[in-house]
Amino acid sequence: MKKITIGIIAHVDSGKTTLSEALLFLSGSIRSFGRVDKGASFLDNDDLERRRGITIFSKQARFEYGNTSFVLIDTPGHADFSAETERTLGVLDYAILLIGADDGIKGQTKILWKLLEEYHVPLFLFFNKMDRDGSDKDALLSSARELSNDGIIDFSEKIPSDEFYEQIAMCTEGAMEEYLENGSVSRETVRELIRERKLFPCLFGSALLRQGVDELLSLLDQYTEEKEYPSAFSAKVYKVARDKDGVRQTFIKVTGGSLANKTLLPDGEKESKVNQLRFYSGEKYELHEEAFAGEVCVLTGLKESYTGAEYLLENDKIILKDTGTSILTPVLNYRVLTDQKNDPVKILPVFRQLEEESPELSVEWDEEKKEIYVSVMGLVQLEILSTILKERFSLEVGFDTGNVLYKETIAEPVIGVGHFEPLRHYAEVHLLLEPGERGSGLVFTSSLSSDRLAKNWQRLILTHLKERTHKGVLTGSPITDMKITLVAGKAHLKHTEGGDFRQATYRAVRQGLMMAENILLEPFYRFTLEVPTNNVGKALNDLDMIKADFTAPEMNAEKGVSVISGRGPVSALKDYPAEIASYTKGLGSISFLPDGYGLCHNAEEVIAEKGYDPLSDLRNTPDSVFCRNGAGHVVPYDEVYESMHLSFDGTENSESDLELRSKAAAADARTVSKTALGTEEVNTIIHTISHANTGAKKPGTKWKKKFGSEESAPSVQIGGKTVKISGLNSAFALEEADITLVDGYNVIFAWENLNTLAKQNIDAARDSLIETLSKYRSMVNGEVIAVFDAYRVPGRPGEMTDYQGIKLVYTEQDQTADQYIERFVNLLNDARKSRMPEKMQQIEAVKKMTSANTGKLKIAVVTSDATEQVIARGQGCKLISSREFRIRIGEIERKLKEKYQIN
């Protein structure tokens, strides 16, 4: 007996579940015929589905007819659950496309046809509800043939006529030759034409009255063929779910060989044993000891399996392969709203579990804001999600008004370089970013030989590319439609760890995006609009205003309506149904289906509204970290090419290249001194302050806006909104210092979050503090100097560098941070007392910008070290404890939010 997996596909309310019920009943698989409207159907066994009267989750049933054993998969019909339908297409041998006689060919029917074509699924058509008044067989057949120019043929004749064979003969030259020779076409040829999607048999009937269903069963038995499967084991995962007891289930189709119970399968970074092989039919299942090629079953025991995975037997070992992305993707994104009793951190695992079952949710976690975001196909799916959270997990949450899910890509190829080299760490990654075709998603690959970089490091880099959602630099939206190829990479024999390549990989993607020409994409809907004929003018004008592409209206004089089909941006169409209902007085309607992404029609407006600053997104930095003088040194993204250790061809830079880069670095205005602290260094500080506050440009400071015109005033990102910082200080009654000296490691070990991070990675904690101080500096007028102990580094000469507006000091050998701060304050006071004319001019300039104009620089020292506090107080400095300093930063941010009404 041959084994066939068949699915029923249709738009909502076409009668799919009723047809499934009829097939099961007439084949003898079930004893009674259940009705959907009475909540008694065999496959709609979920309480939520019964209450709603729609299919939400794909289900399977088993029946036999003639010489065929069928696995029937019933799929959702509502557009909001079309992603669930798409997931089943990869495991179907054949499909039944169901078309309601009362609705005819809908916009969603056309989308489903394209999906079936994309997955190359052979197809039978069944026109349902032919018992309804006004059903016109010829009109339905004619409209169906618009889906395909050839091949849709009526198979309802009891005795095939010459005309019937002539239509089949028109499908291919081979069929025509056979017809001309024999006067007919063999059943084997018809099977082959159906399998190759050259022929689409169709029948007419009523599933509710069981009319035409026997004929459909006979057609499926006679004209389907079992595939030839390889002997080596392989299987596709098309769904992950939980049963009523919470047991995790992995739905697969065996596509080669066989799978025995208790087999070890790849499961995340380890292997797990298959505990059970379940063969479901409705709610019930049978346990088997082995599943063979062509069979659909459910595995238990796997903890990290995922939809879209494929198991393959290669070299006597089962491996796991990702089979790619979905065609249908969500277009709307919502923030989850929780009350005080539902901590977002604690409920995040619930959303992760639901994401396993419905990958299109694409759950995002904003670590900084502690917020959860989900993506959905539409409002009905959002309602169902809310109900599932309440009934399965006892969670009552809300959602905000939602946003369109924009994406970003690039216009031209670019190489992104990421380098991560704090002390005793090392990794460098070069990635080639190339624009892909629209809808291609992200493709990751490597062109490196193992001679250049070991395969284990290459696999790790590709894993890091896949493991996160990479943000674009225009609006912070996810990137898409790119091929990212690993073209060069370097590890250190002693110092490289796995996490180093993660950092280098992330930075390489980001740096490439910052150097590229970026494009904003927006989602589009394919729509079918039906309005009374007297409202056509208004509809056409509206569609033209929102930049939609559409066909000429098709008028139905008998019904007095016109149908307009087309494609338009989701942002403009999502609220249009309410407007249609208003101007047609409830007589008009519109249906949507996601139709991929295209160029954003109002990109500049969206970018300005989002106000995203890629340089302020510290979790997605494009900058690299190089080791200089025994410590990590941040190199801005637009200078990484000058500092990278590998050439673009992947070879080591020559000694002459390194010398040239060293000379360039020495001449860089960011490097102020590499000698012990002295009067000259202090004078430089005073000079910098005086220039900063008398309208002169700071030496070595560049404010460059990558995606627009250059602006003299910088900005700061607060609450997701970009705020210009020019003149902000005068708006707040906060006492600011002209110079703020920060004892770096004292602050790190005083702040709980940095202290925790430092126990894992002191370099990462230091980098995090530096980024925070840089942000603080952008919100105040005074100079900020962060001092870090390096007194244990042999031969350390001491170094001061500029980084994003602040000064970083690494002390010399045998000098602690408090010793440096004490000497600095002493020298600063000595310089202030000097009578040299140049210094006096600088001091006077600084005096003019101080709020009290007392003739004395205001110096603040941030530390919780008692000895250091006594010394600083003796020099007349203002003392700020490390914890108080953290509160001060938060207070400034709060006042900024109040001033600019930022939520």
Side-chain angles (χ1 to χ4, degrees), residues 3 130 145 174-175 200 208-209 333 368 389 443 491 560 644 693 727 729-730 769 834 837 895:
K3 293 175 290 206
M130 291 301 293
R145 284 173 177 157
F200 307 97
L208 185 62
L209 302 179
N333 187 261
E368 185 176 349
L389 287 166
V443 178
M644 62 190 187
N693 294 280
N729 219 39
S730 60
L769 174 61
S834 172
K895 287 181 176 288

Side-chain angles (χ1 to χ4, degrees), residues 747-775:
V747 171
I748 286 175
F749 293 113
W751 291 8
E752 184 177 352
N753 63 321
L754 295 183
N755 190 3
T756 302
L757 182 58
K759 292 175 182 177
Q760 301 173 356
N761 190 324
I762 187 66
D763 296 321
R766 184 176 63 242
D767 291 344
S768 180
L769 174 61
I770 290 170
E771 297 293 350
T772 300
L773 293 175
S774 174
K775 185 175 180 180

Side-chain angles (χ1 to χ4, degrees), residues 678-714:
T679 305
E680 183 180 351
E681 186 177 13
V682 175
N683 287 337
T684 304
I685 297 288
I686 297 177
H687 181 76
T688 302
I689 297 174
S690 63
H691 275 254
N693 294 280
T694 56
K697 185 179 179 182
K698 287 188 194 179
T701 301
K702 292 185 285 187
W703 292 105
K704 186 175 181 183
K705 190 174 179 65
K706 271 288 183 184
F707 308 102
S709 60
E710 292 191 2
E711 300 178 3
S712 58

Side-chain angles (χ1 to χ4, degrees), residues 126 172 309-310 375 426 443 482 560 603 646:
F126 188 80
T172 64
E310 185 174 6
S375 299
Y426 188 93
V443 178
M482 278 187 240
L646 296 174

Side-chain angles (χ1 to χ4, degrees), residues 471 476 510 612-622 717:
K471 289 185 176 182
R510 194 69 169 175
Y612 178 73
D613 181 2
L615 296 180
S616 296
D617 187 350
L618 303 183
R619 296 182 64 83
N620 296 278
T621 179
Q717 194 80 3

Side-chain angles (χ1 to χ4, degrees), residues 6 23-24 27 29 61-65 68-72 217:
I6 193 162
L23 290 170
L24 295 172
S27 65
S29 179
R62 299 172 186 275
F63 68 92
E64 294 180 358
Y65 189 90
T68 311
S69 173
F70 289 97
V71 173
L72 174 68
L217 283 166

Side-chain angles (χ1 to χ4, degrees), residues 188-244:
E188 290 75 17
T189 299
V190 173
R191 290 197 196 105
E192 182 181 349
L193 292 172
I194 295 171
R195 188 180 68 248
E196 294 178 352
R197 286 182 53 87
K198 300 291 179 60
L199 173 60
F200 307 97
C202 61
L203 291 173
F204 301 81
S206 169
L208 185 62
L209 302 179
R210 276 92 75 194
Q211 296 173 354
V213 181
D214 275 319
E215 290 81 356
L216 178 60
L217 283 166
S218 179
L219 197 69
L220 295 173
D221 178 46
Q222 293 179 44
Y223 291 106
T224 56
E225 291 181 335
E226 183 174 359
K227 291 181 178 179
E228 293 184 6
Y229 296 100
S231 58
F233 168 70
S234 60
K236 291 181 179 179
V237 178
Y238 73 94
K239 181 176 177 177
V240 172
R242 266 86 178 168
D243 66 12
K244 292 184 177 180

